Amino acid sequence: MSDPVRAHLAQAAWSLVRRAEVWRGAGRAGGPGRTGRRPLLAHGPLYGVPAAGGRGPDASPRRDASPRPDAPSRPVALTVDDGPDPRWTPLLLDVLDAHRVRATFFVVGERAARHPELLRRILAAGHTLGNHTYSHPQPFAALPPARIHEEIRRTQRVVTDATGVTPALFRAPAGGWSRTVLGAAREQGLTPVDWSVDPKDWRAPPAARIARTVLRARPGDIVLCHDGGGDRSGTVAALDTALGQLRRRGTVFAVL
């Protein structure tokens, strides 16, 4: 069996694990990764906000929010992949600022190297930077181990040189996990992060469809969106709608 075929099979297996983790949390107080249960694979990536609740909520709910007294207090983590992009990242940052939401941006190293000012703007706005490899190759798990390490290492270096801040989180392109990928991330001091809510905005569906999926987020979910790799006007519009509604529900957001 060739390495690319093996990698595609591994990626499909991790996708099934993701679905199982989300299913285990569906309909339960707290949802995936939020009830104190151990994940299906102890050494896999994060599929939900850790028990500690992320690294600091972004802000208290809006003044007009009216959460129930018994409402779960676990935050939602919004994550944004594939940037930074000079067109879409600033627009998305404006939307996040308007709704007082802080997010985790998983940046692609070669794009970060071209736009270091956007990295600094992301951090200045109170968001967090994560590592999303240097060139976003797929299937990522099919790469030789040395290339996997280098893809991660180069992005660490780019972000640190541009900002003075070293990322602590890693997301494999398209969730392309394997034991080698997970090990490479952890050897470089990074926590692997997956997701539990995916509007598949990278396919550029209508903004209303993206918004409907984001609105399904429940306390402890990790939401996946994108600010690079294509036309992200739908994502910007959808998040403007969805974040407003979630905030009015009393949803609290946190960076990972």
Coordinates of all heavy atoms in Angstrom, one line a residue, residues 48-122:
G48 N -12.5 19.1 22.0 CA -13.4 20.1 22.7 C -12.5 20.9 23.6 O -11.3 20.6 23.8
V49 N -13.1 22.0 24.1 CA -12.3 22.9 25.0 C -11.9 22.0 26.3 O -12.8 21.3 26.8 CB -13.2 24.1 25.4 CG1 -12.5 24.9 26.4 CG2 -13.6 24.9 24.2
P50 N -10.7 22.1 26.7 CA -10.2 21.3 27.8 C -11.0 21.7 29.1 O -11.7 22.7 29.2 CB -8.7 21.7 28.0 CG -8.4 22.3 26.6 CD -9.6 22.9 26.1
A51 N -10.9 20.8 30.1 CA -11.7 20.9 31.3 C -11.4 22.3 32.0 O -12.2 22.8 32.7 CB -11.4 19.8 32.2
A52 N -10.2 22.8 31.8 CA -9.8 24.1 32.4 C -10.6 25.2 31.8 O -10.5 26.4 32.3 CB -8.3 24.3 32.3
G53 N -11.2 25.0 30.6 CA -12.0 26.0 30.0 C -11.3 26.9 29.0 O -11.7 28.1 28.8
G54 N -10.2 26.5 28.5 CA -9.4 27.4 27.6 C -8.5 28.3 28.4 O -8.5 28.3 29.6
R55 N -7.8 29.2 27.6 CA -6.9 30.1 28.3 C -7.4 31.5 28.4 O -6.9 32.5 27.9 CB -5.5 30.1 27.5 CG -4.8 28.8 27.6 CD -3.4 28.8 27.1 NE -3.4 29.0 25.7 CZ -2.4 29.7 25.1 NH1 -1.5 30.3 25.8 NH2 -2.4 29.9 23.8
G56 N -8.5 31.6 29.1 CA -9.1 32.9 29.3 C -10.3 33.3 28.5 O -10.1 33.4 27.3
P57 N -11.5 33.4 29.0 CA -12.6 33.9 28.2 C -12.3 35.2 27.6 O -11.6 36.0 28.2 CB -13.7 34.0 29.3 CG -13.3 33.1 30.4 CD -11.8 33.2 30.4
D58 N -12.9 35.5 26.5 CA -12.7 36.7 25.8 C -13.3 37.9 26.5 O -12.8 39.0 26.6 CB -13.2 36.7 24.4 CG -14.7 36.3 24.3 OD1 -15.3 36.0 25.3 OD2 -15.2 36.2 23.2
A59 N -14.6 37.7 27.0 CA -15.3 38.8 27.7 C -16.5 38.2 28.2 O -16.9 37.1 27.9 CB -15.6 39.9 26.7
S60 N -17.2 38.9 29.1 CA -18.5 38.5 29.7 C -19.5 38.6 28.6 O -19.4 39.3 27.6 CB -18.8 39.3 30.9 OG -18.9 40.7 30.5
P61 N -20.7 37.9 28.7 CA -21.7 38.0 27.7 C -22.2 39.4 27.6 O -22.0 40.3 28.5 CB -22.8 37.1 28.3 CG -22.1 36.1 29.2 CD -21.0 36.9 29.8
R62 N -22.9 39.7 26.5 CA -23.4 41.0 26.2 C -24.4 41.4 27.3 O -25.0 40.6 28.0 CB -24.2 41.0 24.9 CG -23.3 40.8 23.7 CD -24.1 40.6 22.4 NE -25.0 41.7 22.2 CZ -24.7 42.7 21.3 NH1 -23.6 42.6 20.6 NH2 -25.5 43.7 21.1
R63 N -24.6 42.7 27.5 CA -25.5 43.2 28.5 C -26.9 42.8 28.3 O -27.7 42.6 29.2 CB -25.4 44.7 28.6 CG -24.1 45.2 29.2 CD -24.1 46.7 29.4 NE -22.9 47.2 29.9 CZ -21.9 47.7 29.2 NH1 -22.0 47.6 27.9 NH2 -20.8 48.1 29.7
D64 N -27.2 42.5 27.0 CA -28.6 42.2 26.7 C -28.8 40.7 26.7 O -29.9 40.2 26.4 CB -29.0 42.7 25.3 CG -28.1 42.2 24.2 OD1 -27.1 41.6 24.5 OD2 -28.5 42.5 23.0
A65 N -27.8 39.9 27.0 CA -27.9 38.5 27.1 C -28.7 38.1 28.4 O -28.5 38.7 29.4 CB -26.6 37.8 27.1
S66 N -29.5 37.0 28.3 CA -30.3 36.6 29.4 C -30.1 35.1 29.6 O -31.1 34.3 29.4 CB -31.7 37.0 29.2 OG -31.9 38.4 29.1
P67 N -28.9 34.6 29.9 CA -28.8 33.2 30.1 C -29.5 32.6 31.3 O -29.8 33.4 32.2 CB -27.3 33.0 30.3 CG -26.8 34.3 30.9 CD -27.7 35.4 30.2
R68 N -30.0 31.4 31.2 CA -30.6 30.8 32.3 C -29.7 30.7 33.5 O -28.5 30.5 33.3 CB -31.1 29.4 32.0 CG -32.1 29.3 30.8 CD -32.6 27.9 30.6 NE -31.6 26.9 30.7 CZ -30.8 26.5 29.7 NH1 -30.9 27.1 28.5 NH2 -29.9 25.6 29.9
P69 N -30.2 30.7 34.7 CA -29.3 30.6 35.9 C -28.5 29.3 35.9 O -27.4 29.2 36.4 CB -30.3 30.7 37.1 CG -31.5 31.4 36.5 CD -31.6 31.0 35.1
D70 N -29.1 28.2 35.3 CA -28.4 27.0 35.3 C -27.7 26.7 34.0 O -27.3 25.6 33.7 CB -29.4 25.8 35.6 CG -30.5 25.7 34.5 OD1 -30.7 26.8 33.8 OD2 -31.1 24.7 34.4
A71 N -27.5 27.7 33.1 CA -26.9 27.5 31.8 C -25.4 27.1 32.0 O -24.7 27.6 32.9 CB -26.9 28.8 31.0
P72 N -24.9 26.2 31.2 CA -23.5 25.8 31.3 C -22.6 27.0 31.1 O -22.9 27.8 30.3 CB -23.3 24.7 30.2 CG -24.7 24.3 29.8 CD -25.6 25.5 30.1
S73 N -21.5 27.0 31.8 CA -20.6 28.2 31.7 C -19.4 27.9 30.9 O -18.5 28.7 30.7 CB -20.1 28.6 33.1 OG -19.4 27.5 33.8
R74 N -19.3 26.7 30.3 CA -18.1 26.3 29.5 C -18.1 27.1 28.3 O -19.1 27.3 27.6 CB -18.3 24.8 29.2 CG -17.0 24.1 28.9 CD -16.1 24.0 30.2 NE -14.9 23.2 29.9 CZ -14.9 21.9 29.8 NH1 -15.9 21.2 30.1 NH2 -13.7 21.3 29.6
P75 N -16.9 27.7 27.9 CA -16.8 28.5 26.7 C -16.8 27.7 25.4 O -16.5 26.5 25.4 CB -15.5 29.2 26.9 CG -14.7 28.3 27.8 CD -15.6 27.6 28.7
V76 N -17.1 28.4 24.4 CA -16.9 27.9 23.0 C -15.6 28.5 22.5 O -15.2 29.6 22.8 CB -18.0 28.3 22.1 CG1 -17.7 28.1 20.6 CG2 -19.3 27.6 22.5
A77 N -14.8 27.7 21.7 CA -13.6 28.1 21.1 C -13.8 28.3 19.6 O -14.0 27.3 18.9 CB -12.4 27.2 21.4
L78 N -13.7 29.5 19.1 CA -13.7 29.7 17.7 C -12.3 29.6 17.1 O -11.4 30.3 17.6 CB -14.3 31.1 17.4 CG -14.3 31.5 15.9 CD1 -15.1 30.6 15.0 CD2 -14.7 33.0 15.7
T79 N -12.0 28.8 16.1 CA -10.7 28.7 15.5 C -10.8 29.0 14.0 O -11.8 28.8 13.4 CB -10.1 27.3 15.7 OG1 -11.0 26.3 15.0 CG2 -10.1 26.9 17.1
V80 N -9.7 29.7 13.5 CA -9.7 30.2 12.2 C -8.4 29.7 11.5 O -7.3 30.0 12.0 CB -9.8 31.7 12.2 CG1 -9.8 32.3 10.8 CG2 -11.0 32.2 13.0
D81 N -8.6 29.0 10.4 CA -7.5 28.4 9.7 C -7.1 29.1 8.4 O -7.9 29.7 7.7 CB -7.8 26.9 9.4 CG -7.8 26.0 10.6 OD1 -7.8 26.6 11.7 OD2 -7.8 24.8 10.4
D82 N -5.9 28.8 7.9 CA -5.4 29.0 6.6 C -4.9 30.4 6.2 O -4.5 30.7 5.1 CB -6.4 28.6 5.5 CG -6.6 27.1 5.5 OD1 -6.0 26.4 6.3 OD2 -7.5 26.6 4.6
G83 N -5.0 31.4 7.2 CA -4.5 32.7 6.9 C -3.1 32.8 7.4 O -2.4 31.8 7.6
P84 N -2.6 34.1 7.5 CA -3.4 35.3 7.3 C -3.5 35.7 5.9 O -2.7 35.4 5.0 CB -2.6 36.3 8.1 CG -1.2 35.9 8.0 CD -1.2 34.4 8.0
D85 N -4.6 36.4 5.6 CA -4.9 36.8 4.2 C -5.2 38.3 4.3 O -5.9 38.8 5.1 CB -6.2 36.1 3.7 CG -6.5 36.5 2.3 OD1 -7.1 37.6 2.1 OD2 -6.1 35.8 1.3
P86 N -4.5 39.1 3.4 CA -4.6 40.6 3.5 C -6.0 41.1 3.2 O -6.3 42.2 3.7 CB -3.6 41.1 2.4 CG -3.4 39.9 1.5 CD -3.6 38.7 2.3
R87 N -6.8 40.4 2.5 CA -8.2 40.8 2.3 C -9.2 40.4 3.4 O -9.9 41.2 3.9 CB -8.7 40.3 1.0 CG -10.1 40.8 0.6 CD -10.5 40.4 -0.8 NE -11.9 41.0 -1.1 CZ -12.5 40.7 -2.2 NH1 -11.9 40.0 -3.2 NH2 -13.7 41.3 -2.4
W88 N -9.1 39.1 3.7 CA -10.2 38.5 4.6 C -9.8 38.6 6.1 O -10.7 38.8 6.9 CB -10.5 37.1 4.2 CG -10.8 37.0 2.8 CD1 -10.1 36.3 1.8 CD2 -11.9 37.6 2.1 NE1 -10.7 36.4 0.6 CE2 -11.9 37.2 0.7 CE3 -13.0 38.3 2.5 CZ2 -12.8 37.6 -0.2 CZ3 -14.0 38.8 1.6 CH2 -13.8 38.4 0.3
T89 N -8.6 38.5 6.5 CA -8.3 38.5 7.9 C -8.6 39.9 8.5 O -9.3 39.9 9.6 CB -6.8 38.2 8.1 OG1 -6.5 37.0 7.5 CG2 -6.4 38.2 9.6
P90 N -8.3 41.0 7.9 CA -8.8 42.3 8.6 C -10.3 42.4 8.7 O -10.8 42.9 9.7 CB -8.2 43.4 7.6 CG -7.0 42.7 7.0 CD -7.4 41.3 6.8
L91 N -11.0 41.9 7.7 CA -12.5 42.0 7.8 C -13.0 41.1 8.9 O -13.9 41.5 9.7 CB -13.1 41.6 6.5 CG -12.9 42.5 5.3 CD1 -13.5 41.9 4.0 CD2 -13.5 43.9 5.5
L92 N -12.4 39.9 9.0 CA -12.8 39.0 10.1 C -12.5 39.6 11.5 O -13.2 39.5 12.4 CB -12.2 37.6 9.9 CG -12.6 36.6 10.9 CD1 -14.1 36.4 10.9 CD2 -11.9 35.2 10.5
L93 N -11.3 40.2 11.6 CA -10.9 40.8 12.8 C -11.9 41.9 13.2 O -12.2 42.0 14.4 CB -9.5 41.4 12.7 CG -8.4 40.3 12.7 CD1 -7.0 41.0 12.4 CD2 -8.3 39.6 14.1
D94 N -12.4 42.6 12.3 CA -13.4 43.7 12.6 C -14.7 43.1 13.1 O -15.3 43.6 14.1 CB -13.7 44.5 11.3 CG -12.5 45.4 10.9 OD1 -11.6 45.6 11.8 OD2 -12.5 45.9 9.8
V95 N -15.1 42.0 12.5 CA -16.3 41.3 13.0 C -16.1 40.7 14.4 O -17.0 40.9 15.3 CB -16.7 40.1 12.0 CG1 -17.7 39.2 12.6 CG2 -17.2 40.7 10.7
L96 N -15.0 40.1 14.7 CA -14.7 39.6 16.0 C -14.7 40.7 17.0 O -15.2 40.5 18.1 CB -13.4 38.8 16.0 CG -13.3 37.6 15.1 CD1 -11.9 37.0 15.1 CD2 -14.4 36.6 15.5
D97 N -14.1 41.8 16.7 CA -14.0 42.9 17.6 C -15.4 43.5 17.9 O -15.8 43.8 19.0 CB -13.2 44.0 17.0 CG -13.0 45.2 18.0 OD1 -12.4 45.0 19.1 OD2 -13.4 46.3 17.6
A98 N -16.3 43.6 16.8 CA -17.6 44.1 17.0 C -18.4 43.2 18.0 O -19.3 43.8 18.7 CB -18.3 44.2 15.7
H99 N -18.2 41.9 18.0 CA -18.9 41.0 18.9 C -18.2 40.6 20.1 O -18.6 39.8 20.9 CB -19.3 39.8 18.1 CG -20.3 40.1 17.0 ND1 -21.6 40.4 17.2 CD2 -20.1 40.1 15.6 CE1 -22.2 40.6 16.0 NE2 -21.3 40.5 15.0
R100 N -17.0 41.2 20.3 CA -16.2 41.0 21.5 C -15.9 39.5 21.7 O -16.0 38.9 22.7 CB -16.8 41.5 22.8 CG -17.0 43.1 22.7 CD -17.5 43.6 24.0 NE -18.8 43.0 24.4 CZ -19.3 42.8 25.6 NH1 -18.5 43.2 26.6 NH2 -20.4 42.3 25.8
V101 N -15.5 38.9 20.6 CA -15.1 37.5 20.5 C -13.6 37.4 20.3 O -13.1 38.0 19.4 CB -15.9 36.7 19.5 CG1 -15.3 35.3 19.3 CG2 -17.4 36.6 19.9
R102 N -12.9 36.5 21.0 CA -11.5 36.2 20.8 C -11.4 34.8 20.2 O -12.1 33.9 20.6 CB -10.7 36.4 22.1 CG -10.8 37.8 22.7 CD -10.2 38.8 21.8 NE -10.4 40.2 22.3 CZ -11.4 41.0 21.9 NH1 -12.2 40.6 21.0 NH2 -11.5 42.2 22.4
A103 N -10.5 34.7 19.2 CA -10.4 33.4 18.5 C -9.0 32.9 18.5 O -8.0 33.6 18.9 CB -10.9 33.6 17.1
T104 N -8.8 31.7 18.1 CA -7.5 31.1 17.9 C -7.2 31.0 16.4 O -8.0 30.3 15.7 CB -7.4 29.7 18.6 OG1 -7.7 29.9 19.9 CG2 -6.0 29.1 18.4
F105 N -6.2 31.7 15.9 CA -5.9 31.7 14.4 C -4.7 30.7 14.2 O -3.6 30.9 14.6 CB -5.4 33.1 14.0 CG -6.6 34.0 13.9 CD1 -7.2 34.6 15.0 CD2 -7.1 34.4 12.6 CE1 -8.2 35.5 14.9 CE2 -8.1 35.3 12.5 CZ -8.7 35.9 13.6
F106 N -5.1 29.6 13.4 CA -4.0 28.6 13.0 C -3.5 29.1 11.7 O -4.2 29.0 10.6 CB -4.6 27.2 12.9 CG -4.9 26.6 14.3 CD1 -6.1 26.7 14.9 CD2 -3.9 25.9 14.9 CE1 -6.4 26.2 16.1 CE2 -4.1 25.4 16.2 CZ -5.4 25.5 16.8
V107 N -2.3 29.6 11.7 CA -1.7 30.3 10.5 C -0.8 29.4 9.7 O -0.1 28.5 10.2 CB -1.0 31.6 10.9 CG1 -1.9 32.6 11.6 CG2 0.2 31.3 11.8
V108 N -0.8 29.6 8.4 CA 0.1 28.9 7.5 C 1.4 29.7 7.4 O 1.4 30.9 7.1 CB -0.6 28.7 6.1 CG1 0.4 28.1 5.1 CG2 -1.8 27.9 6.2
G109 N 2.5 29.0 7.6 CA 3.8 29.8 7.7 C 4.2 30.6 6.5 O 4.6 31.7 6.7
E110 N 4.0 30.1 5.3 CA 4.4 30.9 4.1 C 3.5 32.1 4.0 O 4.0 33.2 3.5 CB 4.4 30.0 2.9 CG 3.1 29.4 2.5 CD 3.3 28.5 1.2 OE1 4.4 28.3 0.8 OE2 2.2 28.1 0.7
R111 N 2.3 32.1 4.4 CA 1.4 33.2 4.3 C 1.7 34.2 5.5 O 1.7 35.4 5.3 CB -0.1 32.8 4.4 CG -0.5 32.0 3.2 CD -1.8 31.4 3.3 NE -2.0 30.4 2.2 CZ -3.0 29.5 2.1 NH1 -3.9 29.4 3.2 NH2 -3.1 28.7 1.1
A112 N 2.1 33.6 6.6 CA 2.5 34.5 7.7 C 3.8 35.2 7.4 O 3.9 36.4 7.8 CB 2.7 33.6 9.0
A113 N 4.7 34.6 6.7 CA 6.0 35.2 6.4 C 5.7 36.4 5.4 O 6.5 37.4 5.5 CB 6.9 34.2 5.7
R114 N 4.7 36.3 4.6 CA 4.4 37.4 3.7 C 3.6 38.6 4.4 O 3.7 39.7 3.9 CB 3.6 36.9 2.5 CG 4.3 36.0 1.5 CD 3.6 35.9 0.2 NE 2.3 35.3 0.3 CZ 2.1 34.0 0.2 NH1 3.1 33.2 -0.1 NH2 0.9 33.5 0.3
H115 N 3.0 38.3 5.5 CA 2.1 39.3 6.1 C 2.3 39.3 7.6 O 1.4 39.1 8.4 CB 0.6 39.0 5.8 CG 0.3 38.9 4.4 ND1 0.4 40.0 3.5 CD2 0.0 37.9 3.6 CE1 0.1 39.7 2.3 NE2 -0.1 38.4 2.3
P116 N 3.6 39.5 8.1 CA 3.8 39.5 9.5 C 3.0 40.6 10.3 O 2.7 40.4 11.5 CB 5.3 39.8 9.6 CG 5.7 40.5 8.3 CD 4.8 39.9 7.3
E117 N 2.7 41.7 9.6 CA 1.9 42.7 10.2 C 0.5 42.2 10.7 O 0.0 42.7 11.7 CB 1.8 44.0 9.3 CG 0.8 43.8 8.2 CD 1.2 42.9 7.0 OE1 2.4 42.5 7.0 OE2 0.4 42.7 6.1
L118 N 0.0 41.3 9.9 CA -1.3 40.7 10.3 C -1.2 39.8 11.5 O -2.1 39.8 12.4 CB -1.9 39.9 9.1 CG -2.4 40.8 8.0 CD1 -2.9 39.9 6.8 CD2 -3.5 41.7 8.4
L119 N -0.1 39.1 11.7 CA 0.2 38.4 12.9 C 0.2 39.3 14.1 O -0.5 39.0 15.1 CB 1.5 37.6 12.8 CG 1.7 36.6 11.7 CD1 3.1 35.9 11.9 CD2 0.6 35.6 11.7
R120 N 0.8 40.4 14.0 CA 0.9 41.3 15.1 C -0.4 41.9 15.4 O -0.8 42.2 16.6 CB 2.0 42.4 14.8 CG 3.4 41.8 14.8 CD 4.4 42.9 14.7 NE 4.5 43.5 13.3 CZ 5.3 43.0 12.4 NH1 6.1 42.0 12.6 NH2 5.4 43.6 11.2
R121 N -1.2 42.2 14.3 CA -2.6 42.7 14.6 C -3.5 41.7 15.3 O -4.3 42.1 16.1 CB -3.2 43.2 13.2 CG -4.6 43.7 13.4 CD -5.2 44.3 12.1 NE -6.6 44.6 12.3 CZ -7.4 45.0 11.4 NH1 -7.0 45.3 10.1 NH2 -8.7 45.3 11.6
I122 N -3.4 40.5 14.9 CA -4.1 39.4 15.5 C -3.8 39.4 17.0 O -4.7 39.3 17.9 CB -3.8 38.0 14.9 CG1 -4.5 38.0 13.5 CG2 -4.4 36.9 15.7 CD1 -4.0 36.8 12.6

